Amino acid sequence: MSSPKPSRNRPGLALGLVGLLAAVALAACGEEQTLTAQQMVEEVNERGGGIRLGEPLTTSQENLELYGIRLSGAPAAPSTPETDQASPPVDVHAAGSLTIAESDDGAMAEYERCESAASLVCFRAANAVLILEDTVPNQDLARIEAAISAMADR
């Protein structure tokens, strides 16, 4: 369901792309799955991706919904005896966007457009395209890539 596009300065992310793309192609055979923005974020987060859905963004492209995406940081300090509650995850920074297309074909076109940009890292799952800035730390990219790969395995 996904295909990451590493930026030039992220050679480690290039490993396994062919296998990931093959898994995506196999998962795509059969019925067409569609995701809402919230479903995509939930799917990624169920697998440890750590992203948060932001506000809807304006787009001039028809048949696409566009949302801001933020990365969730690691939880703050574990619970303390005084509060006995763990701190919630902290937003680190705006990281990119999530595009929801009406169809897989629309998502593929958006993914291919994203791939042509040298400074973006792109992932696709069904009708959703997650576009991240190349300034996102490698450990966050690896976490998101693993989560989206796990989506293809289901």
Side-chain angles (χ1 to χ4, degrees), residues 1-138:
M1 277 196 257
S2 62
S3 296
K5 184 225 175 259
S7 65
R8 290 184 211 153
N9 62 351
R10 310 265 171 136
L13 286 176
L15 301 175
L17 294 181
V18 173
L20 182 58
L21 187 55
V24 169
L26 290 174
C29 294
E31 65 184 72
E32 183 177 311
Q33 180 186 12
T34 58
L35 297 167
T36 65
Q38 188 61 44
Q39 288 170 329
M40 176 65 174
V41 169
E42 288 171 2
E43 292 273 342
V44 170
N45 288 341
E46 284 175 9
R47 291 157 182 83
I51 61 174
R52 291 188 179 191
L53 187 61
E55 294 296 317
L57 303 173
T58 303
T59 179
S60 62
Q61 295 179 328
E62 292 184 28
N63 305 320
L64 296 179
E65 297 174 15
L66 185 63
Y67 299 87
I69 288 292
R70 296 181 68 81
L71 297 180
S72 297
S79 61
T80 60
E82 297 84 36
T83 63
D84 202 33
Q85 295 179 353
S87 299
V90 177
D91 278 340
V92 179
H93 56 79
S97 63
L98 175 62
T99 301
I100 302 296
E102 286 186 356
S103 67
D104 282 354
D105 290 341
M108 182 55 80
E110 183 67 12
Y111 174 77
E112 289 171 353
R113 187 179 71 78
C114 175
E115 273 199 313
S116 68
S119 64
L120 298 175
V121 180
C122 313
F123 300 91
R124 178 178 166 263
N127 64 313
V129 180
L130 181 60
I131 302 170
L132 302 175
E133 300 167 5
D134 69 349
T135 57
V136 172
N138 283 335

